[in-house]
Amino acid sequence: ISVSAFLLNRSSDLEIYASALLLNFIEAERYVKNERVEAGSTKSELVEKAIQYMYDNIRKDISIADLLEHLGCSRSKLFRHFRDYKTARPLEFLNEIRIKRACKLLTDTSLHINEICREVGINNQVYFTKLFTKTIGMSPTKYRNTHNV
């Protein structure tokens, strides 16, 4: 089962976040054991801190500059560490989180698509629909109709 499929089947945001952290930890352990970035901080801790920031601010329009300011690191360091532990760049990973959250909102609520866009931090419905369709393989409306019980 793929990580994306695994996370989509989880029942709550907390479970999704916990699953992502667990998978991140497992991936990190596979690649580098005890490799230090700076005193008291491992590469995986930097990535976990970035992911936590993404979850905490999912409704905001987060930029790389926001992440760098929060983490207190350079752009190259952030991208290097993400590359070591994730298959996606930071903003690609953020979009994956947003789309997974949108899937949950589409199946669990009757919110309109434009409201779901805002809930996941995307203020342009056309962009949201294109991103959702590209990621999931169907439009948000079709996804809702297919997955509503």
Side-chain angles (χ1 to χ4, degrees):
I1 187 167
S2 72
V3 173
S4 296
F6 175 76
L7 292 177
L8 277 175
N9 291 326
R10 304 312 298 176
S11 61
S12 75
D13 290 340
L14 183 57
E15 286 176 327
I16 291 171
Y17 175 71
S19 297
L21 281 180
L22 178 61
L23 290 170
N24 180 55
F25 178 76
I26 291 168
E27 289 172 6
E29 287 299 313
R30 284 185 197 151
Y31 288 106
V32 180
K33 264 199 160 179
N34 300 324
E35 186 174 342
R36 294 284 169 191
V37 179
E38 53 196 21
S41 177
T42 64
K43 285 184 176 185
S44 63
E45 288 171 348
L46 181 75
V47 174
E48 287 173 15
K49 191 174 177 184
I51 291 169
Q52 179 65 52
Y53 181 82
M54 292 175 190
Y55 275 98
D56 291 346
N57 296 283
I58 193 166
R59 291 182 177 156
K60 297 179 183 175
D61 185 16
I62 300 171
S63 68
I64 290 295
D66 297 329
L67 274 172
L68 297 178
E69 182 179 335
H70 177 73
L71 299 169
C73 71
S74 70
R75 180 182 176 91
S76 61
K77 184 180 202 177
L78 175 64
F79 276 72
R80 184 173 59 249
H81 294 281
F82 245 86
R83 183 189 64 227
D84 289 345
Y85 299 106
K86 296 291 175 195
T87 57
R89 294 181 181 128
L91 292 184
E92 291 169 344
F93 186 79
L94 174 61
N95 282 336
E96 289 175 15
I97 293 169
R98 287 178 166 157
I99 295 302
K100 288 171 190 157
R101 173 75 176 135
C103 288
K104 180 154 182 53
L105 292 170
L106 285 165
T107 57
D108 294 353
T109 72
S110 60
L111 292 172
H112 293 282
I113 304 298
N114 63 349
E115 294 172 300
I116 291 174
C117 293
R118 288 191 300 273
E119 284 293 312
V120 300
I122 299 174
N123 295 320
N124 182 321
Q125 186 175 343
V126 172
Y127 172 71
F128 170 78
T129 301
K130 285 181 182 179
L131 179 64
F132 189 96
T133 303
K134 179 181 174 187
T135 305
I136 301 299
M138 65 180 78
S139 72
T141 303
K142 186 172 182 180
Y143 182 88
R144 172 176 270 162
N145 293 337
T146 304
H147 291 82
N148 261 346
V149 185

